[in-house]
Structure formats: structure tokens, C-alpha cells
Amino acid sequence: MTRTPNKSRQQAELAFGKVQSQFLARERAFEELNSAVQARDEKTLRLRQARLAKEFADRTSATAALILKRATKV
């Protein structure tokens, strides 16, 4: 005994499907945005660590050069 859905039920199911697809599209957009933000944050952290390491190496070599220069003057 199969019943054919009435017109109001069909309209309700279509409306629900539209809302559900909009919700899923919104969720996908948020996931993509969060992924991009996470990738940006990871890249920023890597670049910051590289910059700090370079600054430390530059400071260390400058200090060593200054110590060597002072040692040769005496």
C-alpha cells in the first residue's frame, strides 16, 4: 500500500532539502576557511622561527667578530 505524497508534503520536503543543502554548503565553506587560517598560522610560525634563528646567528657572528677585533688590537 503505497501512498502518493500530497502536494504540501512535497513542498515541505523540497524546502527542507534546500535548507539542508545550504547548511552543508555553509559548513564546507567554514571548513575551507578554517583550513586556510590554520595553514597561514603554521606558515607564520615557521617564518617567525626562521627569522629568530637568523637574527640569533647574525648576533652571534657579530659578537664573535667584535671579540676577535678587540683581541687583535691588544
Side-chain angles (χ1 to χ4, degrees):
M1 229 162 120
T2 55
R3 293 177 33 166
T4 58
N6 59 17
K7 187 171 182 137
S8 62
R9 181 179 174 123
Q10 286 177 340
Q11 288 175 341
E13 287 180 359
L14 286 174
F16 177 75
K18 183 178 179 181
V19 169
Q20 188 177 21
S21 65
Q22 288 174 346
F23 175 77
L24 293 175
R26 180 175 176 259
E27 286 297 314
R28 260 185 269 120
F30 274 121
E31 287 174 8
E32 290 174 9
L33 180 63
N34 288 338
S35 175
V37 168
Q38 183 179 3
R40 183 192 66 210
D41 290 345
E42 290 172 358
K43 183 176 181 180
T44 300
L45 180 61
R46 278 194 320 271
L47 290 172
R48 181 178 294 131
Q49 289 173 338
R51 178 181 50 83
L52 292 174
K54 182 183 181 309
E55 288 175 357
F56 179 75
D58 291 347
R59 251 190 327 263
T60 303
S61 65
T63 303
L66 186 61
I67 291 172
L68 182 63
K69 184 178 179 181
R70 286 185 183 168
T72 58
K73 281 188 177 181
V74 175

